[in-house]
């Protein structure tokens, strides 16, 4: 799933527009199954997510402050949103799309998430994305791990318009915990 910067519209990038549209129409039932997912498919998605969490987090990474793969971060929210899309976008066309925050709004508007849960997920995703972008500027290269102290943390805090490193770190951890709680509720929701 694309992030906030993902372009809306066709999923193809070049070539014949009619062929691209034909391909999108062909894969629509796979992307957005009319009847949602079976119980077995949801269980398999849960299993795969658990495996990804244990195997993909880099050695030595702090799961509480890893923007991409950490608790309540980018991937967590995207897993939850994509599960909602797979389960319900076949019946709710507004859920179809590649922009995480737009899909969250659509899920809220469709009554799949209450406003508080949607806001918690949006806050977790947005803060993790902002920190990830700030890390890139501070380091001059891509990075996903928010440090808990030091000059890089100070740079991120300053770039994000905050003043106190400790308060910011507490905010990041709290936001991630709240986001993760909602993610888990979505993943564990009754089949």
């Amino acid at each position: 799933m694309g992030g906030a910067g993902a372009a809306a519209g066709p999923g193809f990038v070049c070539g014949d527009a009619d062929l691209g549209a034909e391909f999108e129409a062909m894969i629509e039932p796979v992307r957005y199954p009319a009847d949602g997912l079976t119980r077995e498919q949801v269980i398999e998605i849960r299993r795969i997510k658990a495996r990804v969490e244990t195997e993909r987090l880099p050695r030595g990474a702090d799961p509480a402050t890893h923007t991409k793969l950490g608790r309540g971060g980018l991937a967590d929210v995207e897993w939850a949103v994509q599960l909602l899309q797979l389960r319900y976008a076949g019946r709710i066309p507004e859920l179809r799309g590649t922009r995480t925050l737009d899909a969250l709004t659509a899920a809220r508007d469709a009554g799949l998430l209450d406003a508080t849960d949607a806001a918690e997920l949006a806050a977790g995703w947005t803060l993790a994305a902002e920190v990830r972008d700030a890390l890139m500027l501070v380091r001059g290269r891509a990075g996903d791990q928010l440090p808990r102290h030091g000059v890089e943390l100070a740079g991120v805090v300053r770039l994000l318009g905050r003043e106190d490193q400790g308060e910011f770190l507490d905010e990041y951890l709290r936001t991630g915990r709240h986001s993760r709680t909602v993610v888990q509720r979505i993943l564990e929701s009754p089949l």
Side-chain angles (χ1 to χ4, degrees):
M1 166 159 290
F12 58 93
V13 196
C14 65
D16 183 84
D18 290 336
L19 180 60
E22 186 179 324
F23 177 76
E24 284 187 335
M26 182 182 74
I27 64 167
E28 193 87 350
V30 176
R31 291 172 69 192
Y32 310 116
D35 296 325
L37 298 174
T38 66
R39 174 181 169 78
E40 292 75 23
Q41 289 170 318
V42 173
I43 290 169
E44 182 66 8
I45 288 169
R46 290 175 185 162
R47 187 192 66 72
I48 291 168
K49 183 179 184 319
R51 183 175 174 195
V52 166
E53 282 186 357
T54 60
E55 293 179 4
R56 288 213 38 222
L57 193 65
R59 181 172 297 190
D62 181 349
T65 57
H66 197 276
T67 61
K68 182 170 174 73
L69 301 172
R71 296 179 205 123
L74 297 169
D76 244 6
V77 174
E78 290 168 0
W79 275 94
V81 167
Q82 290 171 13
L83 180 59
L84 289 171
Q85 288 175 312
L86 286 167
R87 290 180 85 176
Y88 303 106
R91 295 187 311 270
I92 306 170
E94 295 79 15
L95 283 173
R96 299 173 189 178
T98 58
R99 297 177 68 130
T100 301
L101 297 178
D102 291 348
L104 274 175
T105 299
R108 181 200 64 209
D109 293 349
L112 300 175
L113 291 173
D114 67 34
T116 301
D117 284 354
E120 297 285 4
L121 291 173
W125 192 92
T126 300
L127 186 56
E130 290 172 348
V131 167
R132 192 174 195 215
D133 291 346
L135 282 167
M136 172 68 133
L137 292 172
V138 167
R139 293 181 176 152
R141 59 180 161 67
D144 294 314
Q145 185 67 61
L146 175 65
R148 289 189 178 248
H149 51 77
V151 71
E152 288 180 351
L153 175 61
V156 168
V157 169
R158 180 172 243 178
L159 276 170
L160 296 179
R162 309 305 206 296
E163 294 182 19
D164 185 276
Q165 293 178 37
E167 286 178 14
F168 176 75
L169 194 54
D170 287 345
E171 174 191 350
Y172 187 87
L173 295 170
R174 182 177 51 256
T175 302
R177 279 192 311 272
H178 291 178
S179 177
R180 175 63 172 223
T181 298
V182 178
V183 166
Q184 288 176 312
R185 196 165 37 248
I186 291 167
L187 289 169
E188 296 167 5
S189 66
L191 306 172

